[in-house]
Amino acid sequence: MTDTAFKVLISKDNMAPLWEVLRGLTPREPKQVLEPVIWRDKTIRKNMEMACEAISAEDAERRVLVLENPKLRGKSLVTTSLYAGIQMILPGEVAPSHRHTASALRLILSGEGGFTNVDGEKVMMRPGDFVITPSGVFHDHGAEGSDPVMWLDGLDVPVVQMLNAGFSADDPNNRQEVRRPAGDSEARYASGLTPVGYQGSGTTSPLFHYPYKRTRAALTQLAESGDCDPAIGLKLTFTNPTNGESPILTMGAYIQLLPPGFQGVEHRETDGAVYCVVEGSVRVHVGDQEWTANQHDVFVVPGWAWRRFKASDECVLFSFSDRPLQEHLGFWKGESKKA
C-alpha cells in the first residue's frame, strides 16, 4: 500500500499519521507567526472619532476598535493568546453593565471624569491608571466629566475560546448600584494591610484599581537606585497585594522606565507582548523592523523575536502579555545578548 493510499484509508476513520506533522507540532523553537506592528495615536483617535459618530456606547455595548495583528486578520487577535482594543466613552455616556468569563485589564490613555464600577465599587479613572476586571464580575464604565475618556483594553479571550469555557451575561439593571464606598478595596488591600480573616480565591486580585500617581512615584524612587537592567531598564510588574502574584493569572501587566540615554541590549522572551507609551518616546527594534513610538502609540512585539529599546529622554512603557500563564506552565523562557 502506498503512503497516499494509507492516508486516504485511515482518514475515513478520522486518523492521520503523526510522522508527517511531528516537526510542526514540536518545533525546535517558537515559530514566528505574528508580525511586529504599531498603531499610531493619531490614527487611533481619527478612527475613534468616526466610531463615535457612527454608534453610541449603549448601542455598541462597548465602543471598541479591535487591534488586529496583520497575520491574524479577522480573528480579533493581537497575539495568538491576547485580545487588545481601544475603547472610548463620551461625556454623559455609560457602557452598560455586563460580565463574562474573560478577564480584562485597562490602561487609561486620556480624559478626566471617567469611572468604572466593578462589583459595586465605583472608582474614578485618570490617565496612566491601571484597572482590572476579574472574571465573571459585573462591570460598567462611564464619563461624568467634560472629556471623552479613552483607554487600552487587554483580555484573555483567546485562552477562554481555546478552552471553550466562555460565558457572559447582561446586567438587567443596565447600570450597577454602588454598594461600596470609593476607595474601599484600596483601603483594604493596597497599604500592606489585609482584613483579618480574609481568604482570597487565589484567581484574581481583590484590588482592581492601581492609580498612576502611585505607580509613577514608585518608578521615580527606584530609578534613584541606579539598578537598571541593560535590556529592559527598570521594569515592575503589577501584583495582587494579598499573594504577590499577577492580578490576573492568565495575563501580566508591567510598567517600565527607560532612563535618559538608555541603549538597551537585544533580548527576547517567549511571551508576545502589547506595549503602550505612557510618557516620552522610544526607539524600537524588532527583528528587521524599526520605528519610534511616541506617547499613546501602541505596538506589539511577537514572542521569541529579538527586540531592543533605545530612549534619548526618559520614557515610561506599559505592557501586558501572557507571561504569568507561561510561567505557571513552565513554558516561559528569556535571554539577552551581551552588552
Side-chain angles (χ1 to χ4, degrees):
M1 182 182 295
T2 65
D3 287 345
T4 301
F6 172 70
K7 287 189 291 185
V8 170
L9 182 62
I10 66 173
S11 70
K12 297 176 181 178
D13 296 320
N14 300 310
M15 302 174 75
L18 171 63
W19 55 87
E20 292 202 350
V21 295
L22 179 61
R23 193 52 61 211
L25 296 176
T26 58
R28 298 301 185 191
E29 63 179 31
K31 300 177 180 178
Q32 291 301 314
V33 297
L34 302 177
E35 186 172 321
V37 61
I38 184 168
W39 292 269
R40 299 292 184 184
D41 177 59
K42 181 178 180 180
T43 302
I44 291 171
R45 292 183 179 278
K46 178 191 67 175
N47 291 339
M48 187 57 78
E49 288 177 2
M50 293 188 289
C52 289
E53 294 176 357
I55 193 166
S56 69
E58 183 176 3
D59 289 341
E61 188 170 354
R62 293 295 187 268
R63 187 195 288 114
V64 178
L65 298 180
V66 180
L67 304 180
E68 291 191 319
N69 194 283
K71 293 292 183 68
L72 301 171
R73 292 301 304 273
K75 297 182 178 181
S76 299
L77 299 176
V78 69
T79 74
T80 52
S81 62
L82 298 173
Y83 160 99
I86 303 291
Q87 184 166 174
M88 178 173 277
I89 303 287
L90 296 178
E93 288 187 328
V94 174
S97 177
H98 69 192
R99 65 182 179 188
H100 37 69
T101 301
S103 299
L105 57 81
R106 316 183 198 286
L107 173 71
I108 311 308
L109 298 176
S110 61
E112 298 287 342
F115 73 85
T116 186
N117 186 346
V118 176
D119 199 25
E121 182 178 348
K122 177 182 174 181
V123 298
M124 304 307 293
M125 305 183 297
R126 294 176 176 81
D129 287 4
F130 170 63
V131 179
I132 69 167
T133 301
S135 172
V137 172
F138 279 115
H139 54 282
D140 53 89
H141 320 290
E144 297 180 335
S146 58
D147 299 333
V149 180
M150 188 169 75
W151 62 82
L152 169 66
D153 280 328
L155 284 86
D156 58 3
V157 168
V159 176
V160 175
Q161 289 179 332
M162 180 188 68
L163 299 172
N164 194 29
F167 294 88
S168 66
D170 296 327
D171 189 337
N173 297 319
N174 199 45
R175 185 170 180 176
Q176 290 184 83
E177 176 186 356
V178 177
R179 302 189 306 275
R180 292 184 289 163
D184 184 79
S185 61
E186 183 173 1
R188 291 175 187 268
Y189 308 108
S191 302
L193 301 167
T194 303
V196 172
Y198 169 78
Q199 292 183 335
S201 65
T203 56
T204 52
S205 173
L207 182 67
F208 67 93
H209 179 223
Y210 298 71
Y212 185 59
K213 181 179 180 181
R214 187 172 63 212
T215 302
R216 189 62 172 92
L219 286 174
T220 300
Q221 181 66 40
L222 292 175
E224 294 181 3
S225 69
D227 187 15
C228 183
D229 185 277
I232 59 176
L234 178 64
K235 190 171 184 177
L236 304 175
T237 178
F238 291 94
T239 59
N240 177 341
T242 66
N243 59 19
E245 297 180 356
S246 174
I248 299 171
L249 296 186
T250 51
M251 296 186 291
Y254 310 91
I255 199 77
Q256 182 174 357
L257 186 145
L258 306 179
F262 183 75
Q263 298 286 319
V265 301
E266 280 193 289
H267 62 287
R268 61 180 180 178
E269 301 165 340
T270 51
D271 54 314
V274 178
Y275 287 82
C276 181
V277 182
V278 181
E279 296 181 33
S281 62
V282 59
R283 191 68 179 168
V284 183
H285 303 252
V286 184
D288 59 358
Q289 295 196 35
E290 183 177 348
W291 59 69
T292 296
N294 300 308
Q295 187 178 40
H296 298 162
D297 288 349
V298 178
F299 60 93
V300 61
V301 177
W304 211 236
W306 288 107
R307 78 288 308 264
R308 184 180 183 187
F309 299 134
K310 299 179 181 179
S312 299
D313 300 312
E314 188 173 71
C315 175
V316 177
L317 295 173
F318 170 85
S319 61
F320 68 94
S321 77
D322 64 3
R323 178 170 174 168
L325 179 58
Q326 290 198 25
E327 289 178 328
H328 176 74
L329 297 171
F331 295 165
W332 188 87
K333 294 183 184 298
E335 62 181 16
S336 298
K337 294 184 178 179
K338 293 183 179 181

